[in-house]
Amino acid sequence: MIDFPEIKRLTDEEFKRFAALIYQESGIFLKDTKITLLSNRLRKRLHALKLDTFSQYYDYIYALTDRTQEIEALIDVVSTNETYFFRNERQFEALTKHCFEDIAGKKKDGKALRIWSAGCSTGEEPYTLAICVLENARFFPNWKIEIIATDIAPSVLEFARRGVYTGRRIEKVPPEILEKYFTPDGENREQYRINDEARKLVTFQYLNLFKNPYPEKLDVVFCRNVMIYFDKEHQKKLVAGFYRVLMQGGYLFIGHSETLHSISDDFTYEKILDSPVYVPRKR
Ligand SMILES: C[S@@+](CC[C@H](N)C(=O)[O-])C[C@H]1O[C@@H](n2cnc3c(N)ncnc32)[C@H](O)[C@@H]1O
């Protein structure tokens, strides 16, 4: 079902103008085949602003003295936010059964663990990371733990901060973990609220990967299923940025359908417990 069907599809010309604006502001690259998808997503914005046509919306954006907020709202409706707890669980196994011990063993100076979930969407990935840390707390006695979770879409960050999940989002959470780290919530107790113990390890913040500075001195970066939305030029910028902020001996996790092949030579590829993991080369 299409929301607001009274608003017609983008024309080719309108599509080009919006695709260029979205690309310039977020690095998200929309092929011509995405015209229906983009029309459907933009309709929500037109409806909210009581506008009838996409051209009116485009002119509205350019007439604003300060476009920041509307650009945020535009990217918010355009971004794809699919995610769930323990997505691609083998990667979390690699992290907990290899990387954690390795990081803990190598760190002689600061007793701090810093993990970045870049493109965290509605929070399932960073909260899964928090649960992994808590389940493996023996490696990090008295360490300062920080999980920095960032995204470009304000609405997903708001959802993430609320920390309440149902259905497919929590389907892969093992029952004992659900019991331990969530509290049933809602009228029929069909929703699950993430507990404070995991929540307090995670900080959510707005961050556009191409316009804002990155967090630094990181031990682990998770940037999964984000690169696929960018063209090669932006993928290269992104991965060069990760190389700058990852500590020697740190780890980069990307999505299963993503690769660093022909994107970066700064990392070596390792297969840990069947999962592709990238390690920064010596500087
Ligand atoms: C498909 S979700 C991935 C969620 C999670 N990492 C996972 O793998 O389950 C992609 C996320 O990337 C975010 N994103 C897209 N472009 C971005 C940009 N330029 N800066 C920051 N986040 C961006 C989107 O808002 C979206 O929430």
PDB file of all heavy atoms in Angstrom, residues 25-28 75 79-84 87 117-122 125 150-153 156 207-210 223-226 229-230, ligand 1:
ATOM      1  N   GLU A  25      24.441  15.691   0.339  1.00  0.00           N
ATOM      2  CA  GLU A  25      24.283  15.875   1.776  1.00  0.00           C
ATOM      3  C   GLU A  25      24.651  14.648   2.607  1.00  0.00           C
ATOM      4  O   GLU A  25      24.989  14.765   3.772  1.00  0.00           O
ATOM      5  CB  GLU A  25      22.832  16.281   2.108  1.00  0.00           C
ATOM      6  CG  GLU A  25      22.435  17.641   1.562  1.00  0.00           C
ATOM      7  CD  GLU A  25      23.217  18.788   2.204  1.00  0.00           C
ATOM      8  OE1 GLU A  25      23.732  18.630   3.325  1.00  0.00           O
ATOM      9  OE2 GLU A  25      23.325  19.846   1.541  1.00  0.00           O
ATOM     10  N   SER A  26      24.539  13.441   2.012  1.00  0.00           N
ATOM     11  CA  SER A  26      24.711  12.233   2.831  1.00  0.00           C
ATOM     12  C   SER A  26      25.623  11.186   2.227  1.00  0.00           C
ATOM     13  O   SER A  26      25.974  10.207   2.886  1.00  0.00           O
ATOM     14  CB  SER A  26      23.343  11.575   3.046  1.00  0.00           C
ATOM     15  OG  SER A  26      22.864  11.067   1.813  1.00  0.00           O
ATOM     16  N   GLY A  27      25.972  11.341   0.948  1.00  0.00           N
ATOM     17  CA  GLY A  27      26.752  10.308   0.260  1.00  0.00           C
ATOM     18  C   GLY A  27      25.879   9.160  -0.227  1.00  0.00           C
ATOM     19  O   GLY A  27      26.347   8.266  -0.923  1.00  0.00           O
ATOM     20  N   ILE A  28      24.595   9.165   0.137  1.00  0.00           N
ATOM     21  CA  ILE A  28      23.698   8.082  -0.302  1.00  0.00           C
ATOM     22  C   ILE A  28      23.472   8.237  -1.808  1.00  0.00           C
ATOM     23  O   ILE A  28      23.030   9.294  -2.284  1.00  0.00           O
ATOM     24  CB  ILE A  28      22.357   8.103   0.470  1.00  0.00           C
ATOM     25  CG1 ILE A  28      22.606   7.852   1.968  1.00  0.00           C
ATOM     26  CG2 ILE A  28      21.379   7.083  -0.106  1.00  0.00           C
ATOM     27  CD1 ILE A  28      21.382   8.004   2.867  1.00  0.00           C
ATOM     28  N   ILE A  75      16.780  13.434   4.737  1.00  0.00           N
ATOM     29  CA  ILE A  75      17.653  12.248   4.788  1.00  0.00           C
ATOM     30  C   ILE A  75      17.018  11.187   5.699  1.00  0.00           C
ATOM     31  O   ILE A  75      17.114   9.993   5.440  1.00  0.00           O
ATOM     32  CB  ILE A  75      19.080  12.616   5.289  1.00  0.00           C
ATOM     33  CG1 ILE A  75      19.710  13.723   4.420  1.00  0.00           C
ATOM     34  CG2 ILE A  75      19.989  11.389   5.335  1.00  0.00           C
ATOM     35  CD1 ILE A  75      19.885  13.407   2.963  1.00  0.00           C
ATOM     36  N   SER A  79      16.651   7.390   4.259  1.00  0.00           N
ATOM     37  CA  SER A  79      17.587   6.343   4.680  1.00  0.00           C
ATOM     38  C   SER A  79      16.877   5.017   4.937  1.00  0.00           C
ATOM     39  O   SER A  79      15.720   4.984   5.334  1.00  0.00           O
ATOM     40  CB  SER A  79      18.352   6.792   5.928  1.00  0.00           C
ATOM     41  OG  SER A  79      17.440   6.986   6.985  1.00  0.00           O
ATOM     42  N   THR A  80      17.608   3.942   4.692  1.00  0.00           N
ATOM     43  CA  THR A  80      17.090   2.583   4.920  1.00  0.00           C
ATOM     44  C   THR A  80      17.639   2.118   6.260  1.00  0.00           C
ATOM     45  O   THR A  80      18.858   2.134   6.462  1.00  0.00           O
ATOM     46  CB  THR A  80      17.570   1.654   3.781  1.00  0.00           C
ATOM     47  OG1 THR A  80      17.052   2.182   2.564  1.00  0.00           O
ATOM     48  CG2 THR A  80      17.087   0.232   3.956  1.00  0.00           C
ATOM     49  N   ASN A  81      16.748   1.681   7.157  1.00  0.00           N
ATOM     50  CA  ASN A  81      17.172   1.467   8.543  1.00  0.00           C
ATOM     51  C   ASN A  81      17.013   0.031   9.049  1.00  0.00           C
ATOM     52  O   ASN A  81      16.973  -0.210  10.252  1.00  0.00           O
ATOM     53  CB  ASN A  81      16.391   2.435   9.460  1.00  0.00           C
ATOM     54  CG  ASN A  81      16.371   3.856   8.936  1.00  0.00           C
ATOM     55  OD1 ASN A  81      15.324   4.377   8.577  1.00  0.00           O
ATOM     56  ND2 ASN A  81      17.527   4.482   8.869  1.00  0.00           N
ATOM     57  N   GLU A  82      16.881  -0.893   8.131  1.00  0.00           N
ATOM     58  CA  GLU A  82      16.697  -2.309   8.488  1.00  0.00           C
ATOM     59  C   GLU A  82      17.810  -2.792   9.438  1.00  0.00           C
ATOM     60  O   GLU A  82      18.997  -2.620   9.161  1.00  0.00           O
ATOM     61  CB  GLU A  82      16.715  -3.114   7.173  1.00  0.00           C
ATOM     62  CG  GLU A  82      17.079  -4.567   7.266  1.00  0.00           C
ATOM     63  CD  GLU A  82      15.898  -5.458   7.631  1.00  0.00           C
ATOM     64  OE1 GLU A  82      14.784  -4.924   7.736  1.00  0.00           O
ATOM     65  OE2 GLU A  82      16.113  -6.656   7.822  1.00  0.00           O
ATOM     66  N   THR A  83      17.427  -3.385  10.550  1.00  0.00           N
ATOM     67  CA  THR A  83      18.407  -3.938  11.491  1.00  0.00           C
ATOM     68  C   THR A  83      17.696  -4.828  12.505  1.00  0.00           C
ATOM     69  O   THR A  83      16.468  -4.775  12.615  1.00  0.00           O
ATOM     70  CB  THR A  83      19.196  -2.815  12.210  1.00  0.00           C
ATOM     71  OG1 THR A  83      20.212  -3.398  13.015  1.00  0.00           O
ATOM     72  CG2 THR A  83      18.303  -1.929  13.080  1.00  0.00           C
ATOM     73  N   TYR A  84      18.440  -5.638  13.234  1.00  0.00           N
ATOM     74  CA  TYR A  84      17.859  -6.436  14.313  1.00  0.00           C
ATOM     75  C   TYR A  84      18.976  -6.904  15.248  1.00  0.00           C
ATOM     76  O   TYR A  84      20.163  -6.851  14.888  1.00  0.00           O
ATOM     77  CB  TYR A  84      17.041  -7.624  13.775  1.00  0.00           C
ATOM     78  CG  TYR A  84      17.700  -8.418  12.672  1.00  0.00           C
ATOM     79  CD1 TYR A  84      18.488  -9.521  12.965  1.00  0.00           C
ATOM     80  CD2 TYR A  84      17.532  -8.070  11.330  1.00  0.00           C
ATOM     81  CE1 TYR A  84      19.090 -10.261  11.952  1.00  0.00           C
ATOM     82  CE2 TYR A  84      18.133  -8.800  10.314  1.00  0.00           C
ATOM     83  CZ  TYR A  84      18.905  -9.893  10.627  1.00  0.00           C
ATOM     84  OH  TYR A  84      19.517 -10.605   9.623  1.00  0.00           O
ATOM     85  N   ARG A  87      22.252  -9.490  14.491  1.00  0.00           N
ATOM     86  CA  ARG A  87      22.284  -9.631  13.037  1.00  0.00           C
ATOM     87  C   ARG A  87      23.648 -10.191  12.656  1.00  0.00           C
ATOM     88  O   ARG A  87      24.673  -9.665  13.085  1.00  0.00           O
ATOM     89  CB  ARG A  87      22.100  -8.259  12.398  1.00  0.00           C
ATOM     90  CG  ARG A  87      22.101  -8.296  10.890  1.00  0.00           C
ATOM     91  CD  ARG A  87      21.852  -6.915  10.326  1.00  0.00           C
ATOM     92  NE  ARG A  87      21.493  -6.968   8.935  1.00  0.00           N
ATOM     93  CZ  ARG A  87      21.077  -5.929   8.227  1.00  0.00           C
ATOM     94  NH1 ARG A  87      20.968  -4.742   8.802  1.00  0.00           N
ATOM     95  NH2 ARG A  87      20.771  -6.039   6.969  1.00  0.00           N
ATOM     96  N   SER A 117      29.643   2.009  16.810  1.00  0.00           N
ATOM     97  CA  SER A 117      28.657   1.454  15.887  1.00  0.00           C
ATOM     98  C   SER A 117      28.267   2.604  14.957  1.00  0.00           C
ATOM     99  O   SER A 117      27.499   3.498  15.330  1.00  0.00           O
ATOM    100  CB  SER A 117      27.442   0.928  16.670  1.00  0.00           C
ATOM    101  OG  SER A 117      26.368   0.662  15.813  1.00  0.00           O
ATOM    102  N   ALA A 118      28.837   2.595  13.751  1.00  0.00           N
ATOM    103  CA  ALA A 118      28.662   3.700  12.798  1.00  0.00           C
ATOM    104  C   ALA A 118      27.516   3.341  11.854  1.00  0.00           C
ATOM    105  O   ALA A 118      27.634   2.390  11.086  1.00  0.00           O
ATOM    106  CB  ALA A 118      29.957   3.920  12.029  1.00  0.00           C
ATOM    107  N   GLY A 119      26.433   4.105  11.920  1.00  0.00           N
ATOM    108  CA  GLY A 119      25.221   3.741  11.180  1.00  0.00           C
ATOM    109  C   GLY A 119      24.448   2.745  12.022  1.00  0.00           C
ATOM    110  O   GLY A 119      24.148   1.633  11.600  1.00  0.00           O
ATOM    111  N   CYS A 120      24.128   3.161  13.253  1.00  0.00           N
ATOM    112  CA  CYS A 120      23.579   2.231  14.258  1.00  0.00           C
ATOM    113  C   CYS A 120      22.086   2.010  14.105  1.00  0.00           C
ATOM    114  O   CYS A 120      21.515   1.147  14.766  1.00  0.00           O
ATOM    115  CB  CYS A 120      23.858   2.771  15.656  1.00  0.00           C
ATOM    116  SG  CYS A 120      22.992   4.337  16.002  1.00  0.00           S
ATOM    117  N   SER A 121      21.444   2.834  13.262  1.00  0.00           N
ATOM    118  CA  SER A 121      19.995   2.736  13.062  1.00  0.00           C
ATOM    119  C   SER A 121      19.241   2.767  14.405  1.00  0.00           C
ATOM    120  O   SER A 121      19.586   3.563  15.270  1.00  0.00           O
ATOM    121  CB  SER A 121      19.667   1.493  12.237  1.00  0.00           C
ATOM    122  OG  SER A 121      18.303   1.500  11.902  1.00  0.00           O
ATOM    123  N   THR A 122      18.292   1.865  14.598  1.00  0.00           N
ATOM    124  CA  THR A 122      17.417   1.926  15.782  1.00  0.00           C
ATOM    125  C   THR A 122      18.029   1.317  17.050  1.00  0.00           C
ATOM    126  O   THR A 122      17.311   1.095  18.035  1.00  0.00           O
ATOM    127  CB  THR A 122      16.063   1.258  15.447  1.00  0.00           C
ATOM    128  OG1 THR A 122      16.306   0.147  14.570  1.00  0.00           O
ATOM    129  CG2 THR A 122      15.126   2.190  14.738  1.00  0.00           C
ATOM    130  N   GLU A 125      22.145  -2.958  16.975  1.00  0.00           N
ATOM    131  CA  GLU A 125      23.571  -3.316  16.878  1.00  0.00           C
ATOM    132  C   GLU A 125      24.366  -2.860  18.107  1.00  0.00           C
ATOM    133  O   GLU A 125      25.042  -3.688  18.744  1.00  0.00           O
ATOM    134  CB  GLU A 125      24.160  -2.741  15.589  1.00  0.00           C
ATOM    135  CG  GLU A 125      25.621  -3.084  15.372  1.00  0.00           C
ATOM    136  CD  GLU A 125      26.114  -2.512  14.037  1.00  0.00           C
ATOM    137  OE1 GLU A 125      25.959  -3.183  13.015  1.00  0.00           O
ATOM    138  OE2 GLU A 125      26.637  -1.375  14.042  1.00  0.00           O
ATOM    139  N   THR A 150      26.163   5.977  16.399  1.00  0.00           N
ATOM    140  CA  THR A 150      25.836   7.188  15.653  1.00  0.00           C
ATOM    141  C   THR A 150      25.029   6.870  14.394  1.00  0.00           C
ATOM    142  O   THR A 150      25.148   5.794  13.820  1.00  0.00           O
ATOM    143  CB  THR A 150      27.122   7.941  15.224  1.00  0.00           C
ATOM    144  OG1 THR A 150      27.835   7.139  14.282  1.00  0.00           O
ATOM    145  CG2 THR A 150      28.015   8.263  16.399  1.00  0.00           C
ATOM    146  N   ASP A 151      24.256   7.855  13.984  1.00  0.00           N
ATOM    147  CA  ASP A 151      23.486   7.715  12.747  1.00  0.00           C
ATOM    148  C   ASP A 151      23.135   9.100  12.213  1.00  0.00           C
ATOM    149  O   ASP A 151      23.163  10.081  12.959  1.00  0.00           O
ATOM    150  CB  ASP A 151      22.210   6.887  12.978  1.00  0.00           C
ATOM    151  CG  ASP A 151      21.706   6.242  11.700  1.00  0.00           C
ATOM    152  OD1 ASP A 151      21.062   6.950  10.883  1.00  0.00           O
ATOM    153  OD2 ASP A 151      21.963   5.050  11.484  1.00  0.00           O
ATOM    154  N   ILE A 152      22.765   9.128  10.948  1.00  0.00           N
ATOM    155  CA  ILE A 152      22.390  10.395  10.300  1.00  0.00           C
ATOM    156  C   ILE A 152      20.888  10.683  10.443  1.00  0.00           C
ATOM    157  O   ILE A 152      20.443  11.802  10.202  1.00  0.00           O
ATOM    158  CB  ILE A 152      22.790  10.344   8.807  1.00  0.00           C
ATOM    159  CG1 ILE A 152      22.840  11.730   8.195  1.00  0.00           C
ATOM    160  CG2 ILE A 152      21.875   9.424   8.009  1.00  0.00           C
ATOM    161  CD1 ILE A 152      23.380  11.775   6.773  1.00  0.00           C
ATOM    162  N   ALA A 153      20.109   9.656  10.820  1.00  0.00           N
ATOM    163  CA  ALA A 153      18.649   9.810  10.838  1.00  0.00           C
ATOM    164  C   ALA A 153      18.145  10.070  12.259  1.00  0.00           C
ATOM    165  O   ALA A 153      18.186   9.168  13.104  1.00  0.00           O
ATOM    166  CB  ALA A 153      17.985   8.558  10.261  1.00  0.00           C
ATOM    167  N   VAL A 156      15.604   7.484  13.985  1.00  0.00           N
ATOM    168  CA  VAL A 156      16.076   6.175  14.463  1.00  0.00           C
ATOM    169  C   VAL A 156      16.838   6.327  15.783  1.00  0.00           C
ATOM    170  O   VAL A 156      16.784   5.449  16.646  1.00  0.00           O
ATOM    171  CB  VAL A 156      16.933   5.392  13.409  1.00  0.00           C
ATOM    172  CG1 VAL A 156      16.110   5.031  12.197  1.00  0.00           C
ATOM    173  CG2 VAL A 156      18.212   6.103  13.029  1.00  0.00           C
ATOM    174  N   LEU A 207      25.475  11.769  13.763  1.00  0.00           N
ATOM    175  CA  LEU A 207      26.762  11.957  13.078  1.00  0.00           C
ATOM    176  C   LEU A 207      26.608  11.598  11.604  1.00  0.00           C
ATOM    177  O   LEU A 207      26.229  10.478  11.263  1.00  0.00           O
ATOM    178  CB  LEU A 207      27.846  11.078  13.730  1.00  0.00           C
ATOM    179  CG  LEU A 207      29.284  11.256  13.233  1.00  0.00           C
ATOM    180  CD1 LEU A 207      30.287  11.006  14.355  1.00  0.00           C
ATOM    181  CD2 LEU A 207      29.617  10.350  12.056  1.00  0.00           C
ATOM    182  N   ASN A 208      26.860  12.592  10.759  1.00  0.00           N
ATOM    183  CA  ASN A 208      26.892  12.350   9.314  1.00  0.00           C
ATOM    184  C   ASN A 208      28.317  11.934   8.959  1.00  0.00           C
ATOM    185  O   ASN A 208      29.271  12.683   9.202  1.00  0.00           O
ATOM    186  CB  ASN A 208      26.505  13.655   8.599  1.00  0.00           C
ATOM    187  CG  ASN A 208      26.501  13.499   7.088  1.00  0.00           C
ATOM    188  OD1 ASN A 208      27.144  12.598   6.532  1.00  0.00           O
ATOM    189  ND2 ASN A 208      25.796  14.388   6.417  1.00  0.00           N
ATOM    190  N   LEU A 209      28.476  10.749   8.428  1.00  0.00           N
ATOM    191  CA  LEU A 209      29.813  10.183   8.183  1.00  0.00           C
ATOM    192  C   LEU A 209      30.656  11.020   7.220  1.00  0.00           C
ATOM    193  O   LEU A 209      31.868  10.826   7.139  1.00  0.00           O
ATOM    194  CB  LEU A 209      29.670   8.758   7.642  1.00  0.00           C
ATOM    195  CG  LEU A 209      29.162   7.728   8.661  1.00  0.00           C
ATOM    196  CD1 LEU A 209      28.674   6.452   7.976  1.00  0.00           C
ATOM    197  CD2 LEU A 209      30.247   7.381   9.675  1.00  0.00           C
ATOM    198  N   PHE A 210      30.024  11.941   6.481  1.00  0.00           N
ATOM    199  CA  PHE A 210      30.787  12.761   5.537  1.00  0.00           C
ATOM    200  C   PHE A 210      30.868  14.224   5.919  1.00  0.00           C
ATOM    201  O   PHE A 210      31.441  15.023   5.200  1.00  0.00           O
ATOM    202  CB  PHE A 210      30.220  12.588   4.124  1.00  0.00           C
ATOM    203  CG  PHE A 210      30.266  11.151   3.720  1.00  0.00           C
ATOM    204  CD1 PHE A 210      29.116  10.408   3.639  1.00  0.00           C
ATOM    205  CD2 PHE A 210      31.490  10.532   3.508  1.00  0.00           C
ATOM    206  CE1 PHE A 210      29.167   9.061   3.324  1.00  0.00           C
ATOM    207  CE2 PHE A 210      31.559   9.182   3.198  1.00  0.00           C
ATOM    208  CZ  PHE A 210      30.391   8.444   3.104  1.00  0.00           C
ATOM    209  N   CYS A 223      30.720  -1.112  11.170  1.00  0.00           N
ATOM    210  CA  CYS A 223      30.000  -0.294  10.186  1.00  0.00           C
ATOM    211  C   CYS A 223      29.443  -1.275   9.165  1.00  0.00           C
ATOM    212  O   CYS A 223      30.048  -1.534   8.134  1.00  0.00           O
ATOM    213  CB  CYS A 223      30.916   0.740   9.539  1.00  0.00           C
ATOM    214  SG  CYS A 223      29.976   1.849   8.452  1.00  0.00           S
ATOM    215  N   ARG A 224      28.297  -1.833   9.511  1.00  0.00           N
ATOM    216  CA  ARG A 224      27.744  -2.912   8.698  1.00  0.00           C
ATOM    217  C   ARG A 224      26.497  -2.439   7.960  1.00  0.00           C
ATOM    218  O   ARG A 224      25.648  -1.760   8.521  1.00  0.00           O
ATOM    219  CB  ARG A 224      27.411  -4.102   9.596  1.00  0.00           C
ATOM    220  CG  ARG A 224      28.610  -4.576  10.423  1.00  0.00           C
ATOM    221  CD  ARG A 224      28.282  -5.791  11.251  1.00  0.00           C
ATOM    222  NE  ARG A 224      27.110  -5.599  12.082  1.00  0.00           N
ATOM    223  CZ  ARG A 224      26.369  -6.588  12.571  1.00  0.00           C
ATOM    224  NH1 ARG A 224      26.676  -7.836  12.305  1.00  0.00           N
ATOM    225  NH2 ARG A 224      25.326  -6.326  13.327  1.00  0.00           N
ATOM    226  N   ASN A 225      26.449  -2.812   6.701  1.00  0.00           N
ATOM    227  CA  ASN A 225      25.277  -2.506   5.873  1.00  0.00           C
ATOM    228  C   ASN A 225      25.016  -1.000   5.772  1.00  0.00           C
ATOM    229  O   ASN A 225      23.874  -0.556   5.784  1.00  0.00           O
ATOM    230  CB  ASN A 225      24.046  -3.250   6.416  1.00  0.00           C
ATOM    231  CG  ASN A 225      24.360  -4.718   6.639  1.00  0.00           C
ATOM    232  OD1 ASN A 225      24.685  -5.420   5.692  1.00  0.00           O
ATOM    233  ND2 ASN A 225      24.331  -5.174   7.886  1.00  0.00           N
ATOM    234  N   VAL A 226      26.093  -0.257   5.700  1.00  0.00           N
ATOM    235  CA  VAL A 226      26.020   1.196   5.543  1.00  0.00           C
ATOM    236  C   VAL A 226      26.728   1.572   4.231  1.00  0.00           C
ATOM    237  O   VAL A 226      26.180   2.304   3.397  1.00  0.00           O
ATOM    238  CB  VAL A 226      26.688   1.919   6.740  1.00  0.00           C
ATOM    239  CG1 VAL A 226      26.640   3.429   6.563  1.00  0.00           C
ATOM    240  CG2 VAL A 226      26.037   1.520   8.066  1.00  0.00           C
ATOM    241  N   TYR A 229      25.269   1.794   0.585  1.00  0.00           N
ATOM    242  CA  TYR A 229      24.459   2.912   0.078  1.00  0.00           C
ATOM    243  C   TYR A 229      25.316   3.994  -0.581  1.00  0.00           C
ATOM    244  O   TYR A 229      24.774   4.961  -1.096  1.00  0.00           O
ATOM    245  CB  TYR A 229      23.613   3.517   1.217  1.00  0.00           C
ATOM    246  CG  TYR A 229      22.674   2.485   1.789  1.00  0.00           C
ATOM    247  CD1 TYR A 229      22.939   1.865   3.004  1.00  0.00           C
ATOM    248  CD2 TYR A 229      21.557   2.074   1.068  1.00  0.00           C
ATOM    249  CE1 TYR A 229      22.098   0.881   3.508  1.00  0.00           C
ATOM    250  CE2 TYR A 229      20.722   1.085   1.551  1.00  0.00           C
ATOM    251  CZ  TYR A 229      20.992   0.499   2.766  1.00  0.00           C
ATOM    252  OH  TYR A 229      20.160  -0.488   3.239  1.00  0.00           O
ATOM    253  N   PHE A 230      26.634   3.828  -0.531  1.00  0.00           N
ATOM    254  CA  PHE A 230      27.519   4.876  -1.047  1.00  0.00           C
ATOM    255  C   PHE A 230      28.217   4.429  -2.339  1.00  0.00           C
ATOM    256  O   PHE A 230      28.376   3.224  -2.582  1.00  0.00           O
ATOM    257  CB  PHE A 230      28.601   5.220  -0.006  1.00  0.00           C
ATOM    258  CG  PHE A 230      28.048   5.553   1.363  1.00  0.00           C
ATOM    259  CD1 PHE A 230      28.705   5.134   2.516  1.00  0.00           C
ATOM    260  CD2 PHE A 230      26.872   6.297   1.493  1.00  0.00           C
ATOM    261  CE1 PHE A 230      28.200   5.440   3.779  1.00  0.00           C
ATOM    262  CE2 PHE A 230      26.375   6.604   2.762  1.00  0.00           C
ATOM    263  CZ  PHE A 230      27.036   6.179   3.900  1.00  0.00           C
TER     264      PHE A 230
HETATM  265  C1  LIG B   1      20.697  -0.626   7.060  1.00  0.00           C
HETATM  266  S1  LIG B   1      21.105   0.395   8.411  1.00  0.00           S
HETATM  267  C2  LIG B   1      22.377  -0.567   9.179  1.00  0.00           C
HETATM  268  C3  LIG B   1      22.120  -0.808  10.640  1.00  0.00           C
HETATM  269  C4  LIG B   1      23.128  -1.717  11.343  1.00  0.00           C
HETATM  270  N1  LIG B   1      24.477  -1.228  11.180  1.00  0.00           N
HETATM  271  C5  LIG B   1      23.022  -3.136  10.870  1.00  0.00           C
HETATM  272  O1  LIG B   1      23.862  -3.590  10.103  1.00  0.00           O
HETATM  273  O2  LIG B   1      22.061  -3.813  11.253  1.00  0.00           O
HETATM  274  C6  LIG B   1      22.040   1.710   7.620  1.00  0.00           C
HETATM  275  C7  LIG B   1      22.115   2.982   8.471  1.00  0.00           C
HETATM  276  O3  LIG B   1      23.105   3.859   7.927  1.00  0.00           O
HETATM  277  C8  LIG B   1      22.684   5.186   8.150  1.00  0.00           C
HETATM  278  N2  LIG B   1      23.396   6.113   7.238  1.00  0.00           N
HETATM  279  C9  LIG B   1      23.249   6.237   5.899  1.00  0.00           C
HETATM  280  N3  LIG B   1      24.025   7.231   5.426  1.00  0.00           N
HETATM  281  C10 LIG B   1      24.677   7.750   6.493  1.00  0.00           C
HETATM  282  C11 LIG B   1      25.636   8.817   6.654  1.00  0.00           C
HETATM  283  N4  LIG B   1      26.072   9.549   5.618  1.00  0.00           N
HETATM  284  N5  LIG B   1      26.095   9.061   7.908  1.00  0.00           N
HETATM  285  C12 LIG B   1      25.665   8.329   8.960  1.00  0.00           C
HETATM  286  N6  LIG B   1      24.769   7.321   8.877  1.00  0.00           N
HETATM  287  C13 LIG B   1      24.279   7.039   7.655  1.00  0.00           C
HETATM  288  C14 LIG B   1      21.175   5.110   7.891  1.00  0.00           C
HETATM  289  O4  LIG B   1      20.471   6.178   8.474  1.00  0.00           O
HETATM  290  C15 LIG B   1      20.801   3.749   8.477  1.00  0.00           C
HETATM  291  O5  LIG B   1      20.269   3.841   9.769  1.00  0.00           O
END
